[in-house]
Amino acid sequence: GQAYKGEGDMSNVELALNLADAGFAVFPVRFDEKKKKKKPYTENGHLNATRDPGVITDLWEKHPYARVGVPAGENNLVVADIDVKNGVDGWESLDKAGLTLPHTFSYQTGTGGSHFVYRAPQDIKLNGLSKYRRMDGFDRRGGSSWVMWVSEEIPMEWELEDAPEWLCDPAREITLDSFEGDLQTW
């Protein structure tokens, strides 16, 4: 079969290679159009992302209909993922929270939402969170999470702004410290 082509003229393997050429690690993603579900083809998901053009070509030869996944953490990104579907409007949630998204590279997703792509802070450990700050339709992709890249446009480093402070709440760290007091004190 012929490789999947998105809205424009570029095949997904071309998109993956162009992203890698711009310095982004990528991996192939299975996308079920009917269920709107995404799942990596690689054994370890986004952890198998690569910038190697030979590996990318081989992966898309094995999976010619694969879409392109872009891991957030490995690429030093944090992505504001705004959904507008199933009666949920992430823009409305953002507005109700009194928050705004500063200008940066962004693109529209296949379901009418948007991805705003920012540079992640170096000194804060982030994670991916659905309903970030309890906002319906607003997800944060950072750390060990990823997005399915659906734009043929590829940002230059200077087009990515630093993520706004409110989008960089640190990931909760799980500690193994045990509580030393008694039940009453706890």
Side-chain angles (χ1 to χ4, degrees):
Q2 190 173 2
Y4 173 85
K5 288 193 182 258
E7 297 294 316
D9 296 326
M10 192 181 300
S11 71
N12 279 338
V13 68
E14 290 169 320
L15 175 59
L17 289 166
N18 288 343
L19 280 160
D21 189 51
F24 294 94
V26 298
F27 63 97
V29 174
R30 175 185 299 122
F31 182 62
D32 184 325
E33 286 284 347
K34 289 180 185 159
K35 296 180 184 173
K36 301 291 184 207
K37 297 283 183 192
K38 303 168 248 203
K39 183 180 177 191
Y41 275 110
T42 51
E43 182 180 349
N44 296 307
H46 68 281
L47 301 177
N48 290 127
T50 182
R51 293 172 181 85
D52 183 313
V55 173
I56 292 167
T57 301
D58 289 347
L59 285 168
W60 264 266
E61 279 180 12
K62 286 181 196 158
H63 310 289
Y65 296 98
R67 304 301 268 290
V68 181
V70 174
E74 183 173 344
N75 289 307
N76 191 35
L77 303 175
V78 59
V79 179
D81 181 357
I82 299 108
D83 291 325
V84 181
K85 61 184 178 187
N86 304 326
V88 173
D89 185 338
W91 291 110
E92 193 175 291
S93 296
L94 195 64
D95 191 47
K96 280 182 184 173
L99 298 169
T100 58
L101 285 171
H103 177 78
T104 190
F105 176 84
S106 64
Y107 61 88
Q108 195 165 9
T109 65
T111 56
S114 299
H115 285 167
F116 278 66
V117 185
Y118 296 97
R119 264 191 313 272
Q122 295 293 318
D123 56 341
I124 300 172
K125 184 175 179 165
L126 300 176
N127 58 357
L129 291 169
S130 295
K131 291 189 178 185
Y132 183 68
R133 290 189 170 198
R134 297 190 176 133
M135 291 186 285
D136 286 333
F138 190 96
D139 303 331
R140 176 180 77 184
R141 303 294 170 221
S144 190
S145 65
W146 56 276
V147 295
M148 188 171 78
W149 197 275
V150 296
S151 173
E152 290 188 1
E153 291 183 49
I154 296 163
M156 303 303 290
E157 177 62 29
W158 55 267
E159 290 181 278
L160 298 179
E161 298 296 328
D162 290 337
E165 194 174 310
W166 66 263
L167 190 59
C168 297
D169 294 341
R172 290 198 175 104
E173 302 248 356
I174 297 171
T175 65
L176 298 176
D177 297 338
S178 59
F179 182 71
E180 296 290 329
D182 61 16
L183 187 57
Q184 287 301 124
T185 308
W186 187 66

